[in-house]
Amino acid sequence: MGHSLETDAKAGKAPIVYRDTSNDAGSLFAAGLILNLSAYLNQSVFNQYAPISIKNFELHGSVYGLPDTVNYILMFYNKQYVPYPPNTTQQLIQIATNVNKTYHIWGIAYGMTSEYGYRFAAWFAGFGGHIFNSQGMPQMNSSAMVEALEFWYNLTYNLHINAPDVTPSIEQQLFTHNEAAIIFDGPWDLGIYVPALGANLGAAPLPIVSQTGLHAAPFVGSTGWVISSPQASGATPQQIQAALLFIQFMTSYQAEMNLWTYAHDIPANMKAYNTVITELNNDNLTPTYLNGIMKGVLEQAQYGQKFPNIPQMNFYWDGFYDYATEYYANEITATVASQKMENYMLSQMQQAGITPDLLLPINLNLLQSYELLSNLFNLGILGLW
Amino acid sequence: MNEHKLSNYFYILPIVALILFLFMYPVAYAIYISFTNFSLYHFFKYSLVGFQNYVLVLTSHTFLHILGNTALWTVGSLVPMMALGYLMALVLNQKDIRGKRLFFTLMLFPWAFPAYISLLVWLGMWNYEYGVVNKIIGLIHLAPINWLTYPDTAWIALILTNVWLSFPYYTAIFLSSLQSIPTELYEAAEVDGASMWQKFGRITLPMMKTSISFVGISGFIFTWNNFYPIYLLTGGGPGESTNILIVYAYQEAFAYNLYDIAAAYSTISTIILAIMAIIMLKITHVLEVVS
């Protein structure tokens, strides 16, 4: 989608309104392709959404999109093989080994060699790593990256409890066909897992990394609605006003409740989110086992990290993929891979003329300071576990 | 006389205009972009930076590595494709073989089937867990291989897939060329008592020299820029071990939004390819024969 948008924007004919992820839209906003909503909407509008989701759509103090869902990965497991969700990586290894020996299926289906770093970022954080420092400079060259890479190499090629050479679609096939017990994925794929596993499906936060005592912390990002800048779309002031009304409608209570009801997307609209929590507290979802699954999904929210939406994040994906795959192919060591990842990102930043960004505080467990977490506690979701 | 000449030029004006608009303009624009800092980070306001992008590309370690990969991909694919195509053409050109039309039709399938779909099928076939290739080698008690995970096996998988996709084209061209050789030449050679190898070396090969040269040069250019096999099967990985210039340029443009660097890569790739094509044309005299 981004490609055609940029081509259209260059011609001044981009679509006026569109839906995008907060991180992809962040690059487009930095490039001047997206409207600064802070110049048009009051703070009271932004206050209607979960703070983390607005933070996802904020760069240099300006908001560039209205969120409709909050996204992150978590652990799905098959209760037929996994007696209880592993709380630590040590337990993860024990359970996966036991599954492997007892049922002769894969303990885990996690395709490291087709990873561009979205899911791996959780493990990097769990080993104590940060992709960027507070100045927006990459920090991939660290012992945390080395240990995280080696951890997954060990589980795959030494312990043989993680399936090698699997793509996300094969992971799903293994999991839904009872050929793998644990998978790491987002709630957006519940539509595949619930019909396949039914009451056997379990959901829980990613485990604590035993070596560090830190939770594996996935990216918490958002999807939402943005408006092209007039330079990119050629929109008139009237069209911009209409677009502003439209995106507020698309992120309203009713619209986001529909997303929850039909797709079980986690609402970013606080009123809708609170209704969801109440529904779960009252076990209102049908079939009833869905209540447990969704509670597990929401519990992961407290252990996330903010998805960096700065432009240099674009260079993380291929930098990670290139050198992680080289390491898993035994071409280089994990130490060299982490060095090369960082150097690669720096050289790409240099080619793009990107200078350090002073407006990027990346904190692990960022959600702890936000209302979202207090809601989980206040409404008793965490108490149920 | 002058009016005749003018009207002759008038007739070719539409094709000249089309070439200028459809080919020359995009190429000229790409070359222009390669001398600017146009990227997502300088999207609406960009400026000329001279040879800066070329210096960045030519002095990077990545460029030499990817250029080497491109040469390996091109030569490594082309040689077996042509050899297999030629061999199949020789077989199909034999008079006594039964059902060769059916065989030839079946053989054209890999080439006629949409390459994009074939490549997705092959992606599954090379898979460690479910791939039919590992199932087959399992029948002879060999351990399954992570084909696309390691550089050496990834290259083998890429080249075998590319050969499978393309050799029928070479067979078809060589077969038509073989069939255009006058049979009288072979009959005269037989009267003179020539052996099979003598007929091949003195008649078949010399008569096919032009078509072999032409197919070789056009195949070289096509394979050099053959994007999909690498993009779909390995994405240039693991690491950059199977990446080639055209795929890397695409990634620079559409993964990183560095249109300036991508344009520089494309321009350099085209210049290298043009130089090699001119050298090959000079050596083989293909154009002289055509003219």
Side-chain angles (χ1 to χ4, degrees), chain B residues 5 37 45 114 127 141 143 213 225 230 238 240 248:
Chain B
K5 274 188 177 173
N37 62 352
K45 289 178 185 171
N127 182 260
H141 306 291
S213 303
N225 285 323
I230 287 181
E240 297 290 2
Y248 193 79

Side-chain angles (χ1 to χ4, degrees), chain B residues 219-286:
Chain B
F220 189 92
I221 294 168
F222 178 79
T223 311
W224 181 277
N225 285 323
N226 196 0
F227 174 84
Y228 283 115
I230 287 181
Y231 184 73
L232 290 177
L233 290 185
T234 65
E240 297 290 2
S241 57
T242 61
N243 216 341
I244 61 169
L245 285 165
I246 187 77
V247 175
Y248 193 79
Y250 177 86
Q251 289 166 338
E252 286 285 311
F254 299 113
Y256 312 134
N257 306 110
L258 299 175
Y259 313 114
D260 50 352
I261 300 290
Y265 262 101
S266 303
T267 308
I268 291 167
S269 173
T270 308
I271 290 169
I272 295 170
L273 191 54
I275 290 168
M276 284 195 290
I278 289 167
I279 292 169
M280 286 187 282
L281 287 169
K282 284 272 180 199
I283 292 170
T284 56
H285 305 288
V286 168

Side-chain angles (χ1 to χ4, degrees), chain A residues 38 108 116 124 163 181 218 228 261-262 264 274 276 344-345 348 359:
Chain A
S38 296
I108 306 162
Y116 279 78
F124 181 39
S228 299
T261 305
Y262 297 110
H264 296 298
N274 288 337
V276 164
Y344 185 82
M345 287 180 76
Q348 292 294 332
L359 293 171

Side-chain angles (χ1 to χ4, degrees), chain B residues 74-281:
Chain B
T74 310
V75 177
S77 295
L78 194 61
V79 170
M81 276 190 300
M82 286 184 67
L84 193 58
Y86 195 74
L87 192 69
M88 292 305 293
L90 285 174
V91 171
L92 288 171
N93 196 43
Q94 301 303 306
K95 284 178 193 166
D96 310 331
I97 293 180
R98 282 189 168 190
K100 62 182 177 183
R101 282 191 183 174
L102 176 68
F103 182 71
F104 185 62
T105 310
L106 288 174
M107 209 186 65
L108 280 177
F109 263 97
W111 178 63
F113 204 68
Y116 190 91
I117 307 295
S118 296
L119 285 164
L120 290 179
V121 172
W122 273 97
L123 182 64
M125 286 165 64
W126 292 117
N127 182 260
Y128 176 87
E129 186 81 16
Y130 293 123
V132 73
V133 178
N134 275 350
K135 303 261 187 241
I136 291 168
I137 65 171
L139 294 176
I140 50 170
H141 306 291
L142 288 176
I145 296 169
N146 284 312
W147 287 99
L148 302 177
T149 306
Y150 301 105
D152 294 344
T153 50
W155 272 121
I156 292 169
L158 280 169
I159 287 174
L160 283 177
T161 307
N162 202 24
V163 169
W164 185 86
L165 283 173
S166 306
F167 88 88
Y169 165 77
Y170 295 90
T171 304
I173 300 286
F174 289 138
L175 187 59
S176 67
S177 180
L178 279 171
Q179 288 177 348
S180 70
I181 300 172
T183 49
E184 294 83 357
L185 293 175
Y186 292 106
E187 286 163 5
E190 266 176 39
V191 171
D192 291 342
S195 68
M196 189 183 77
W197 287 111
Q198 280 173 324
K199 281 189 276 183
F200 180 75
R202 302 278 174 85
I203 302 171
T204 311
L205 265 183
M207 292 296 285
M208 289 186 70
K209 189 189 159 197
T210 307
S211 69
I212 291 172
S213 303
F214 178 77
V215 165
I217 294 168
S218 59
F220 189 92
I221 294 168
F222 178 79
T223 311
W224 181 277
N225 285 323
N226 196 0
F227 174 84
Y228 283 115
I230 287 181
Y231 184 73
L232 290 177
L233 290 185
T234 65
E240 297 290 2
S241 57
T242 61
N243 216 341
I244 61 169
L245 285 165
I246 187 77
V247 175
Y248 193 79
Y250 177 86
Q251 289 166 338
E252 286 285 311
F254 299 113
Y256 312 134
N257 306 110
L258 299 175
Y259 313 114
D260 50 352
I261 300 290
Y265 262 101
S266 303
T267 308
I268 291 167
S269 173
T270 308
I271 290 169
I272 295 170
L273 191 54
I275 290 168
M276 284 195 290
I278 289 167
I279 292 169
M280 286 187 282
L281 287 169

